[in-house]
Amino acid sequence: MLNNVSSCCLSQKQIDQADKFNDMALMEDPGYAKAHYRKCTILEAKGQFSAALNLAEQTIDEYSHEFEFDEMNKSMIPKFEEFVKKITPKLG
């Protein structure tokens, strides 16, 4: 639910509100892949490209090596890899 609210705020360009709700979603479930992905997009919207890239790369690494088999998180890896390719040129 909190992640959906964050998504709505982000789509309305309410970046700070999106970040607030996304952080609450991550506090509720620190292993929620969609919330990590949204955090990357929020950081990108804030112009924090290096932080966004670092989070995306850390998340790829974490989900690639999860001991607990979590198909949802693993299925998000290609989205994070796509994000890395998109954000890297912005670091210029």
Side-chain angles (χ1 to χ4, degrees):
M1 166 103 176
L2 292 168
N3 197 40
N4 291 338
V5 175
S6 176
S7 177
C8 291
C9 291
L10 187 59
S11 70
Q12 294 178 2
K13 308 289 188 231
Q14 298 173 349
I15 309 303
D16 290 334
Q17 283 294 95
D19 199 18
K20 174 185 162 186
F21 284 106
N22 192 75
D23 285 346
M24 288 191 289
L26 284 169
M27 285 175 24
E28 190 175 277
D29 184 359
Y32 188 33
K34 287 185 179 183
H36 284 285
Y37 184 79
R38 180 142 304 108
K39 184 67 172 189
C40 290
T41 61
I42 289 168
L43 291 169
E44 177 187 23
K46 289 182 168 189
Q48 298 175 5
F49 305 124
S50 183
L53 177 63
N54 287 338
L55 178 58
E57 290 176 335
Q58 286 176 333
T59 306
I60 290 168
D61 186 55
E62 180 181 331
Y63 293 159
S64 296
H65 298 101
E66 275 191 348
F67 294 113
E68 180 181 317
F69 188 74
D70 187 340
E71 197 57 42
M72 175 60 168
N73 286 353
K74 289 184 186 239
S75 72
M76 289 289 295
I77 291 173
K79 286 191 74 131
F80 283 101
E81 291 171 337
E82 216 174 279
F83 183 83
V84 167
K85 287 179 187 173
K86 180 181 91 169
I87 197 89
T88 300
K90 294 182 179 185
L91 294 171

